[in-house]
Amino acid sequence: MGLLERYHASPHRQKINNVLMVAGFLSLSVPLLAEGVQFILRFRRRTDDKTVTRRAPSKIYRVVVSGGPCSGKTSSLTHLRDACMHAGYEVLVVPEVPTLLMQGGALYPGLDGGPRLVAFEVALIQLQIQMEESFAMIARSTGQPTVILHDRGSVDVAAYLMPSDWLAVLSALGGLSTLDLASRYHQVVHLVTAADGAPSFYTLSNNASRTESAKDSRVIDRRIKSAWSLHPHQVIIGNETDFAGKLAKATDVVLVGAHKFFSEASKETGDIEEGGCGGGENFGRRRFK
């Protein structure tokens, strides 16, 4: 009886198959394992020699310019853009998302909008995040230190909602927290509404979308300020001076922050988070890449 016939006639054929399978597996895996060990040893030698290549540090500094109605955001954004460019930075400006939606016919449902209001704000924040990431992608492509100015940020939405509706929005966004959204930005510049401290300059004439009375604007301003208060780098700029002085303060805050950020980034030898402001061990743990 030949070997093949003896194999088929054997009552131990299954055991023989198992042995052959193990032998075949080892014949493949042992060389791979040995190669893996050699790779690890080579990697450790490179690490010991400090020759491991690291990714380049972040070159994007994200700033939110926020505040109540008629606070000077539009004028400030133009001034900040020019000042940052003059300082040698590339500058991008993310436009205000609520205005884009309303200009397209998507009307704000109002505080009593219920599910429609939640859906509106969820869509708004989703668009906000997508726009921010698109601008960041463009900034990365330049390879240059870039300041991205945001005409309001995602946390502003909380100021226009009841707390229960804000929680519903966060839940619909996949269980994000206010902290998660705030940590997308390095700095928040809050410009106080002219209705608080400079009432003679409060006007509705320069913005067709503005309908708030001076009293309502002060309330909204405080709500926005409170919504962002958990951010460790929120700076409040009031109306103690004339508007030129207000612009100068905002410009100084942004340029000092950007200079510090890029100076520290250039000294880093490891990876740096682009999005997020730091501010403690647990601050901004979730990042959007």
Side-chain angles (χ1 to χ4, degrees):
M1 182 181 294
L3 181 61
L4 185 60
E5 289 80 2
R6 291 171 61 187
Y7 163 74
H8 284 293
S10 173
H12 305 294
R13 187 171 57 184
Q14 185 59 47
K15 293 182 179 180
I16 296 172
N17 285 340
N18 292 340
V19 171
L20 291 173
M21 288 177 62
V22 171
F25 173 77
L26 290 175
S27 68
L28 292 173
S29 61
V30 169
L32 290 175
L33 180 61
E35 185 176 340
V37 171
Q38 290 299 318
F39 173 81
I40 293 171
L41 292 175
R42 289 196 301 270
F43 180 82
R44 290 188 63 180
R45 283 197 296 270
R46 290 203 306 270
T47 303
D48 293 338
D49 295 338
K50 298 182 180 180
T51 58
V52 177
T53 302
R54 299 178 183 271
R55 287 192 296 172
S58 168
K59 294 185 177 181
I60 300 176
Y61 187 64
R62 305 182 189 224
V63 180
V64 172
V65 179
S66 187
C70 195
S71 59
K73 290 187 299 298
T74 301
S75 299
S76 294
L77 283 164
T78 301
H79 185 82
L80 290 171
R81 180 196 62 196
D82 294 343
C84 289
M85 290 177 65
H86 184 73
Y89 302 121
E90 297 290 324
V91 184
L92 297 175
V93 181
V94 181
E96 186 183 45
V97 175
T99 298
L100 292 178
L101 289 176
M102 288 186 282
Q103 286 176 344
L107 300 180
Y108 175 65
L111 282 175
D112 57 350
R116 285 186 58 231
L117 175 61
V118 172
F120 179 91
E121 300 296 9
V122 168
L124 189 159
I125 293 178
Q126 288 175 335
L127 178 57
Q128 176 93 36
I129 290 172
Q130 180 56 61
M131 287 184 60
E132 290 175 2
E133 293 311 303
S134 294
F135 274 81
M137 183 182 297
I138 293 169
R140 292 187 198 101
S141 72
T142 69
Q144 300 300 315
T146 303
V147 176
I148 300 183
L149 301 170
H150 302 76
D151 188 347
R152 296 194 180 279
S154 52
V155 178
D156 278 73
V157 172
Y160 295 86
L161 293 173
M162 298 297 290
S164 58
D165 288 331
W166 176 238
L167 291 176
V169 168
L170 293 175
S171 177
L173 289 169
L176 293 177
S177 68
T178 306
L179 203 59
D180 292 326
L181 295 175
S183 69
R184 294 175 55 77
Y185 316 98
H186 296 96
Q187 187 177 61
V188 179
V189 178
H190 180 95
L191 303 175
V192 176
T193 175
D196 185 0
S200 61
F201 292 96
Y202 184 80
T203 179
L204 305 179
S205 61
N206 60 350
N207 189 331
S209 300
R210 185 181 303 142
T211 59
E212 302 89 352
S213 66
K215 180 180 178 180
D216 290 340
S217 291
R218 288 191 291 271
V219 172
I220 293 172
D221 189 275
R222 287 193 292 269
R223 288 174 62 91
I224 295 172
K225 189 188 308 180
S226 176
W228 284 104
S229 62
L230 80 173
H231 198 291
H233 303 300
Q234 180 196 41
V235 180
I236 312 297
I237 300 180
N239 298 299
E240 297 81 9
T241 65
D242 59 12
F243 189 63
K246 193 174 186 178
L247 284 179
K249 288 182 180 179
T251 302
D252 183 63
V253 164
V254 172
L255 289 180
V256 168
H259 177 72
K260 180 180 179 181
F261 173 79
F262 289 120
S263 295
E264 292 177 352
S266 66
K267 297 175 184 177
E268 290 285 345
T269 57
D271 296 336
I272 300 174
E273 290 282 3
E274 284 183 0
C277 54
E281 179 182 354
N282 296 318
F283 193 95
R285 180 165 293 173
R286 295 180 66 167
R287 296 286 194 268
F288 291 82
K289 298 295 186 182

